[in-house]
Amino acid sequence: MITNKLLALTLSLFTAGSVATGAAGTATNKTQMPKFPTQQIVQKQTTNPQNSGQTINSSSNSSNTSTVTKPQTETPKTEVPVKEQPKVEAPVTQQPIVDAPKVETPVKEEPKTEAPKVETPAATPSTTVPSGVPANPNNKSFVYLDTVEKEILTYVNQERAKAGLNPLTWEENMRPIARYKSNNMLQYNYFEHNTPSLNNASPMDLATKYFKYNSNGYGENIFYSQGYPEGTTTAKYLVDQWMNSPGHRANILNANWTKMSAGVVFSSQGNYAYATQHFSTN
């Protein structure tokens, strides 16, 4: 069975007077690959991020890996069965809380000279799961596509340059979050922004509550395919698919984002591929 789907989520908290907007829909697929569903979600972190946010979810399960089927395109939905008409909620805008600035007199100290420190880069990206977060099961064998993850940033910044936007920087601290989400969808066989195994946590809750990532704005794009070999899951292909979808495109071209990371997991057991793209204003 060959299936190809997408979902998008945007979460942002702006300065006083700003409004976050998003779009959802389906655009003509300019690649030779088929198109898939789109969904855009807008969330805002409040003083209690665990309960903040709005979510539009879609889900898809594949049960027969021996049948080859064309990818499906779906319209966004709000926590309802896939076949129902989508519900679109207006984005929520919350005024940021600004603390009074603190001014401290710097203390003058004599300069200290230390021998330079040489750090050895990590051989592989971190997949550490914080204490209190259950590890994903191993229902399916998998590998992380490290090169694809980093190359996604290259193609995203090319698209932002075309739109006259500042480039995003790579956020390694978000990669374990994105990888956890992609592998969680693979192991539990679902496709939606919320995480059922973590009390249906939203992307913002997954990042800030469970992984203790500090950000006042968070966005997510996700991708899923089944039946395609590993070599077809390239960074350019993923970015092209997201750019051909209004909701995902809006995330990629959001001027408020400053950082990005990604997690891409592939399983040869059915040729499953799941990709998660995370954005932040941190």
Side-chain angles (χ1 to χ4, degrees):
M1 178 177 186
I2 296 183
T3 308
N4 201 343
K5 299 182 180 179
L6 304 148
L7 287 183
L9 173 149
T10 305
L11 165 67
S12 179
L13 179 62
F14 305 95
T15 58
S18 65
V19 178
T21 61
T26 303
T28 302
N29 189 343
K30 298 181 180 180
T31 68
Q32 294 184 356
M33 301 304 305
K35 303 176 55 177
F36 28 73
T38 64
Q39 176 178 351
Q40 183 181 18
I41 300 176
V42 177
Q43 292 185 311
K44 299 298 174 186
Q45 181 184 13
T46 64
T47 54
N48 182 11
Q50 293 87 336
N51 297 321
S52 65
Q54 303 177 10
T55 313
I56 303 176
N57 300 316
S58 71
S59 63
S60 173
N61 295 326
S62 300
S63 60
N64 187 352
T65 61
S66 63
T67 302
V68 177
T69 305
K70 281 190 174 181
Q72 302 177 357
T73 300
E74 301 177 0
T75 54
K77 301 177 177 59
T78 304
E79 297 182 345
V80 291
V82 173
K83 294 184 179 180
E84 295 187 9
Q85 293 298 320
K87 297 180 182 179
V88 180
E89 299 181 1
V92 177
T93 301
Q94 178 180 331
Q95 296 298 326
I97 300 174
V98 180
D99 294 331
K102 296 179 181 179
V103 179
E104 297 181 359
T105 303
V107 177
K108 294 182 179 180
E109 297 182 358
E110 292 298 324
K112 298 179 181 179
T113 302
E114 297 182 358
K117 297 180 180 180
V118 179
E119 296 184 359
T120 303
T124 57
S126 172
T127 55
T128 303
V129 176
S131 175
V133 179
N136 285 321
N138 291 314
N139 298 324
K140 295 184 181 71
S141 61
F142 67 93
V143 292
Y144 291 115
L145 305 186
D146 175 63
T147 301
V148 174
E149 293 169 348
K150 293 297 292 289
E151 285 183 348
I152 288 173
L153 178 66
T154 299
Y155 291 104
V156 163
N157 281 338
Q158 287 179 3
E159 297 295 342
R160 289 176 67 87
K162 294 176 187 177
L165 299 172
N166 292 330
L168 302 179
T169 59
W170 179 261
E171 174 62 286
E172 186 63 32
N173 290 333
M174 283 199 301
R175 176 140 58 164
I177 309 172
R179 283 187 162 188
Y180 183 90
K181 177 62 179 179
S182 291
N183 196 21
N184 189 269
M185 290 189 290
L186 169 69
Q187 301 301 335
Y188 287 107
N189 193 31
Y190 73 97
F191 183 63
E192 62 180 79
H193 288 293
N194 285 8
T195 305
S197 64
L198 295 179
N199 298 315
N200 214 36
S202 68
M204 172 66 94
D205 284 344
L206 177 64
T208 61
K209 177 180 177 181
Y210 289 95
F211 279 79
K212 311 303 179 186
Y213 182 77
N214 184 25
S215 178
N216 63 354
Y218 210 78
E220 178 181 89
N221 285 344
I222 56 178
F223 167 92
Y224 156 78
S225 68
Q226 179 188 357
Y228 296 95
E230 179 180 340
T232 64
T233 307
T234 66
K236 187 177 188 309
Y237 173 68
L238 293 173
V239 174
D240 285 346
Q241 298 304 300
W242 284 325
M243 285 298 293
N244 287 333
S245 162
H248 303 80
R249 180 187 180 93
N251 255 347
I252 291 174
L253 301 183
N254 187 329
N256 294 291
W257 303 137
T258 58
K259 296 185 178 181
M260 192 214 86
S261 195
V264 182
V265 65
F266 182 85
S267 175
S268 58
Q269 293 180 244
N271 284 346
Y272 289 92
Y274 285 87
T276 300
Q277 181 182 37
H278 280 171
F279 307 90
S280 79
T281 58
N282 186 19

